[in-house]
């Protein structure tokens, strides 16, 4: 049994093989999981959890509650590896649509991973979209439970406490010095939740109105999610230099609940890119990147696709 979407933050095993120990107390992120042998070492006080350089280390969590996950049989992932990469050139994308948000609630501010600016209707009002779990540090700090297991969450509690969102040019070498606008209020999306089982990322979404789009270039949402075998590109920071890079991938699974893709170049790893956009060959947005993983040396990603994004946004006027 394996866990393709998780790596062990202590020994870096990817995927985790055997039982996985998932910390539910730490904010959602790349440092939540331990393999079985590292978890035993943690219990014996021989390793540190959360990792010292993780944002969770600053939260002073008293008790770390772990959930055991058994994993999935390995053979079900073989079909993903057999999907070929089509030869298609990358779409043209503008600068200033992928951004870095800082979310604030009164005096508390938390840096989110990625977000992007999109239009739902042609020439409509721009929105900032991201994955809900990129706000998890702030969510946990505020004691709000937006996870799937909280049946009482209505979708209103989090927007009610977000006082403002500052947005920055994520690709600038010193991004904190390059503000490009602000966003808010946060939209009430009644079905948005954190902590879904990967790769079923259909509820992992957060949306904000853009206050001033004069420095931004919104990109339209596609009408439909891409089909299996279609090329897609994730727009994120280049691993080598502070510029936008399009990571080419091919869709290996496209269902109601998820869009799974595998990257063409296993040498270029897009790390910690939750909330970044996934584009089709026309340069339209087909998904919000939510998670990544690895299987037999192939890098994988999954996204909340545009079919579900549009469902969440139903009822708002653009
Ligand atoms: Zn380990
Ligand atoms: Zn923890």
């Amino acid at each position: 049994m394996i866990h393709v979407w998780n790596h062990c933050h202590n020994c870096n095993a990817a995927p985790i093989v055997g039982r996985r120990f998932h910390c539910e107390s730490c904010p959602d992120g790349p440092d939540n999981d331990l393999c079985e042998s590292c978890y035993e070492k943690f219990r014996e006080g021989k390793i540190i959890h959360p990792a010292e350089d993780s944002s969770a280390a600053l939260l002073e969590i008293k008790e770390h509650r772990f959930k055991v996950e058994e994993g999935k049989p390995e053979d079900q992932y073989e079909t993903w590896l057999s999907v070929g990469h089509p030869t298609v050139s990358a779409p043209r994308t503008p600068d200033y649509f992928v951004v870095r948000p800082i979310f604030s609630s009164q005096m508390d501010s938390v840096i989110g991973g990625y977000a992007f600016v999109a239009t739902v209707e042609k020439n409509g009002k721009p929105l900032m979209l991201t994955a809900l779990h990129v706000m998890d540090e702030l969510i946990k700090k505020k004691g709000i439970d937006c996870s799937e297991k909280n049946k009482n969450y209505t979708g209103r509690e989090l927007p009610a406490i977000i006082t403002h969102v500052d947005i920055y040019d994520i690709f600038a070498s010193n991004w904190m010095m390059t503000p490009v606008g602000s966003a808010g209020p946060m939209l009430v999306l009644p079905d948005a939740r954190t902590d879904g089982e990967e790769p079923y990322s259909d509820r992992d979404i957060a949306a904000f109105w853009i206050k001033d789009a004069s420095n931004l270039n919104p990109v339209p949402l596609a009408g439909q999610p891409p089909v299996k075998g279609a090329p897609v590109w994730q727009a994120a920071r280049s691993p080598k230099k502070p510029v936008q890079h399009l990571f080419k991938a091919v869709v290996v699974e496209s269902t109601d609940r998820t869009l799974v893709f595998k990257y063409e170049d296993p040498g270029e790893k897009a790390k910690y890119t939750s909330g970044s956009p996934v584009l089709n060959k026309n340069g339209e947005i087909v998904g919000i990147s939510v998670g990544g993983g690895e299987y037999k040396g192939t890098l994988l990603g999954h996204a909340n696709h545009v079919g579900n994004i549009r469902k969440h946004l139903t009822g708002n006027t653009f």
Side-chain angles (χ1 to χ4, degrees), residues 131-171:
L132 182 59
H133 84 265
V134 307
M135 303 177 72
D136 208 36
E137 191 182 334
L138 187 63
I139 290 169
K140 287 206 161 66
K141 245 184 194 172
K142 291 290 167 181
I144 295 176
D145 184 356
C146 307
S147 71
E148 286 191 350
K149 63 179 184 293
N150 179 10
K151 302 296 176 215
N152 297 320
Y153 184 68
T154 68
R156 292 176 197 285
E157 296 85 341
L158 186 60
I161 62 146
I162 301 295
T163 42
H164 63 281
V165 182
D166 294 306
I167 49 186
Y168 297 85
D169 176 11
I170 195 164
F171 302 122

Side-chain angles (χ1 to χ4, degrees), residues 8 11 35 38:
C8 172
C11 71
C35 69
C38 289

Side-chain angles (χ1 to χ4, degrees), residues 203-264:
R203 301 181 80 177
D204 199 348
I205 179 172
F208 301 78
W209 296 110
I210 291 287
K211 280 193 180 136
D212 175 9
S214 54
N215 292 317
L216 299 162
N217 290 312
V219 167
L221 291 186
Q224 302 283 336
V227 295
K228 183 175 172 177
V232 289
W233 289 263
Q234 181 186 10
R237 194 172 162 120
S238 160
K240 298 184 188 93
K241 48 187 185 229
V243 292
Q244 179 171 290
H245 182 75
L246 294 178
F247 294 82
K248 186 169 182 264
V250 62
V251 175
V252 296
E253 193 169 315
S254 180
T255 66
D256 280 355
R257 296 194 58 203
T258 190
L259 185 72
V260 181
F261 44 91
K262 68 172 181 184
Y263 295 95
E264 189 167 73

